Amino acid sequence: ENERRSKGFGFIAFKDHKSAMRTLEYLNNNPKIFGGNRRPIVEFAIEDKRKLRMQQELYRKHGHKLLQQGPEKEGAADAAKGKGKGK
Protein backbone atom coordinates (compact mmCIF):
# COMPACT_ATOMS: atom_id res chain seq x y z
CA GLU A 1 0.00 0.00 0.00
CA ASN A 2 2.57 2.61 1.08
CA GLU A 3 5.11 1.56 -1.51
CA ARG A 4 7.24 4.26 -3.06
CA ARG A 5 6.91 4.33 -6.80
CA SER A 6 9.52 5.57 -9.20
CA LYS A 7 8.65 8.73 -11.07
CA GLY A 8 10.42 7.20 -14.05
CA PHE A 9 13.21 9.75 -14.35
CA GLY A 10 16.26 11.09 -12.56
CA PHE A 11 19.01 13.64 -13.03
CA ILE A 12 22.77 13.33 -12.54
CA ALA A 13 25.34 16.13 -12.76
CA PHE A 14 28.80 15.19 -14.03
CA LYS A 15 32.06 17.01 -13.55
CA ASP A 16 33.13 16.58 -17.15
CA HIS A 17 31.68 15.73 -20.55
CA LYS A 18 33.77 12.58 -21.02
CA SER A 19 32.33 10.95 -17.89
CA ALA A 20 28.80 11.92 -18.91
CA MET A 21 29.27 10.40 -22.37
CA ARG A 22 30.71 7.14 -21.02
CA THR A 23 27.80 6.80 -18.60
CA LEU A 24 25.23 7.60 -21.30
CA GLU A 25 26.76 5.04 -23.66
CA TYR A 26 26.80 2.36 -20.95
CA LEU A 27 23.31 2.92 -19.57
CA ASN A 28 21.28 3.80 -22.64
CA ASN A 29 19.07 0.92 -23.78
CA ASN A 30 21.11 -1.58 -21.69
CA PRO A 31 18.93 -4.58 -20.67
CA LYS A 32 21.37 -5.51 -17.87
CA ILE A 33 20.51 -2.39 -15.83
CA PHE A 34 16.89 -3.19 -14.91
CA GLY A 35 16.73 -6.80 -16.08
CA GLY A 36 14.07 -8.46 -18.18
CA ASN A 37 12.69 -6.40 -21.03
CA ARG A 38 13.08 -3.07 -19.23
CA ARG A 39 15.77 -0.75 -20.60
CA PRO A 40 16.66 2.79 -19.52
CA ILE A 41 16.54 5.61 -22.06
CA VAL A 42 19.26 8.12 -21.24
CA GLU A 43 19.48 11.65 -22.64
CA PHE A 44 21.32 14.87 -21.92
CA ALA A 45 19.34 17.68 -20.31
CA ILE A 46 20.66 21.21 -20.61
CA GLU A 47 18.87 23.77 -18.47
CA ASP A 48 20.08 26.90 -20.16
CA LYS A 49 22.51 27.16 -23.05
CA ARG A 50 23.55 30.62 -21.86
CA LYS A 51 24.61 29.19 -18.51
CA LEU A 52 26.62 26.46 -20.26
CA ARG A 53 28.36 29.03 -22.47
CA MET A 54 29.17 31.18 -19.41
CA GLN A 55 30.67 28.17 -17.62
CA GLN A 56 32.76 27.27 -20.67
CA GLU A 57 34.00 30.85 -21.03
CA LEU A 58 34.95 31.06 -17.35
CA TYR A 59 36.79 27.75 -17.59
CA ARG A 60 38.59 28.92 -20.74
CA LYS A 61 39.72 32.10 -18.97
CA HIS A 62 40.51 30.66 -15.54
CA GLY A 63 40.88 26.88 -15.97
CA HIS A 64 44.66 27.10 -15.72
CA LYS A 65 44.26 28.24 -12.10
CA LEU A 66 42.47 24.99 -11.23
CA LEU A 67 45.39 22.95 -12.55
CA GLN A 68 47.84 24.87 -10.35
CA GLN A 69 45.93 24.25 -7.10
CA GLY A 70 46.88 21.58 -4.62
CA PRO A 71 44.35 19.35 -2.80
CA GLU A 72 43.91 21.82 0.08
CA LYS A 73 43.10 24.71 -2.24
CA GLU A 74 40.70 22.63 -4.34
CA GLY A 75 38.56 21.94 -1.27
CA ALA A 76 38.48 25.65 -0.47
CA ALA A 77 37.54 26.43 -4.07
CA ASP A 78 34.68 23.93 -3.94
CA ALA A 79 33.45 25.44 -0.67
CA ALA A 80 33.51 28.89 -2.23
CA LYS A 81 31.36 27.59 -5.10
CA GLY A 82 28.82 26.17 -2.67
CA LYS A 83 29.94 22.59 -3.16
CA GLY A 84 30.71 20.23 -0.36
CA LYS A 85 29.09 18.73 2.67
CA GLY A 86 25.43 19.50 3.05
CA LYS A 87 25.06 21.46 -0.20
Side-chain angles (χ1 to χ4, degrees):
E1 236 179 83
N2 290 327
E3 287 184 33
R4 294 177 123 182
R5 293 199 44 139
S6 168
K7 297 196 185 291
F9 63 90
F11 294 91
I12 302 172
F14 290 90
K15 188 173 184 174
D16 57 73
H17 183 75
K18 184 178 178 182
S19 299
M21 280 302 299
R22 283 197 317 225
T23 302
L24 180 139
E25 289 167 356
Y26 175 75
L27 290 176
N28 197 34
N29 206 25
N30 185 342
K32 296 176 186 175
I33 302 302
F34 294 132
N37 292 329
R38 299 181 63 188
R39 299 166 186 246
I41 303 300
V42 182
E43 299 175 353
F44 283 111
I46 297 177
E47 294 174 10
D48 186 346
K49 288 184 181 182
R50 290 173 298 174
K51 182 178 178 183
L52 181 61
R53 269 185 266 156
M54 286 172 47
Q55 288 174 342
Q56 289 171 341
E57 183 65 19
L58 284 170
Y59 185 78
R60 186 184 64 76
K61 287 182 180 178
H62 305 289
H64 66 281
K65 293 178 187 174
L66 295 173
L67 298 175
Q68 295 170 354
Q69 292 180 348
E72 301 85 28
K73 289 185 180 179
E74 283 179 13
D78 286 346
K81 292 179 195 172
K83 297 179 180 178
K85 216 171 188 179
K87 295 196 179 188

